[in-house]
Amino acid sequence: MQNDISVPPANSPSARPPRGRPREFDRQAALAAATRLFWIKGYEATSITDLTEVMGIGTKSLYAAFSSKDALYAEALKYYYTTYEGLVWTRFRAASTARKAALAFLQDSAIAMTGGDLDLPHGCMATLAAVGSEGHSELGDLMRATRAGGFDILKARFDRAKIDGDLKATADTTKLARFVQTVQSGMAIRARDGADRAELHAVAELALSGWDNITRTIEQRMQGDA
């Protein structure tokens, strides 16, 4: 019995299996992987080979997509901040007083620095990042600017507290913001060294337990310097 379906010759174009589309490069997933690696190892200790392995791409693809290791790190730092900043700053921004804002900032930093609920690397990428100055001056400037951004957020909140009457008009918000930021930086180092969340929460509570004395001392020193 003759088959009604005609079979094209083997060398006919219609007989060849359709070619699958090449696998598309997931740039966002690769960036997320690079961010996590930089977060864990830091800039200097992370090699291009490390990056291509964790990102699942070749060296040429890495440079084509991100231009250079420095540019990739800069983009990873931005990704880190925009993706995870809410873990640290959300309750801070909603707090009704300067002290509650500072405590929320430190408490939530303790949670984020010990993995949060997302199995994150321990520590703070922006705080612990160290970039050699030789040949990386722009990246070093970016790191300092990123850390300065956190300070600016703290100071702006304390400045608003002065306007609201929550802090005295003579309070030195620069020194107060620097104090809180320095406590958080120390917590980041302890987290990287293995401190658990309970320890860091205790540090946060102890650091701000004498809030009135802290603000009073800062104020007195500012008046003495005048």
Side-chain angles (χ1 to χ4, degrees):
M1 181 177 177
Q2 185 178 354
N3 194 329
D4 293 333
I5 302 176
S6 59
V7 179
N11 61 351
S12 169
S14 60
R16 300 170 191 159
R19 292 183 179 180
R21 292 182 178 180
R23 186 177 179 181
E24 294 183 2
F25 167 51
D26 190 336
R27 193 179 191 281
Q28 195 72 356
L31 178 60
T35 300
R36 185 178 180 88
L37 185 62
F38 279 133
W39 191 345
I40 294 170
K41 298 187 66 173
Y43 175 87
E44 300 291 353
T46 302
S47 68
I48 293 296
T49 299
D50 293 333
L51 289 167
T52 55
E53 287 180 356
V54 77
M55 296 167 76
I57 59 177
T59 303
K60 289 183 178 180
S61 296
L62 185 151
Y63 282 108
F66 299 100
S67 176
S68 67
K69 181 183 174 183
D70 280 18
L72 172 57
Y73 189 88
E75 193 166 339
L77 187 64
K78 181 179 179 181
Y79 176 87
Y80 165 82
Y81 186 80
T82 56
T83 303
Y84 302 112
E85 65 96 22
L87 299 178
V88 172
W89 295 109
T90 298
R91 286 203 309 135
F92 169 89
R93 293 190 175 104
S96 59
T97 67
R99 185 188 183 283
K100 288 180 179 178
L103 185 58
F105 169 69
L106 293 179
Q107 288 177 333
D108 290 348
S109 292
I111 295 172
M113 289 173 180
T114 53
D117 298 322
L118 305 171
D119 189 30
L120 301 175
H122 285 205
C124 171
M125 180 177 172
T127 300
L128 299 176
V131 178
S133 59
E134 185 177 353
H136 306 287
S137 58
E138 291 185 5
L139 199 55
D141 290 342
L142 175 63
M143 298 307 305
R144 285 186 287 275
T146 300
R147 290 189 283 264
F151 167 81
D152 291 341
I153 294 173
L154 289 167
K155 186 179 184 305
R157 179 61 184 84
F158 298 152
D159 286 339
R160 180 159 65 86
K162 289 172 64 173
I163 296 173
D164 296 341
D166 178 37
L167 290 175
K168 291 184 178 180
T170 53
D172 188 333
T173 56
T174 296
K175 291 180 179 178
L176 187 57
R178 191 66 71 198
F179 167 75
V180 174
Q181 185 185 45
T182 301
V183 172
Q184 194 228 25
S185 296
M187 291 168 58
I189 295 172
R190 286 295 304 134
R192 178 58 60 87
D193 288 345
D196 61 19
R197 190 172 302 176
E199 176 185 324
L200 299 185
H201 270 156
V203 169
E205 292 170 5
L206 182 61
L208 298 185
S209 62
W211 177 262
D212 291 339
N213 289 332
I214 292 169
T215 55
R216 188 182 305 115
T217 299
I218 291 175
E219 178 187 358
Q220 290 171 348
R221 289 186 177 178
M222 186 181 72
Q223 291 173 343
D225 293 339

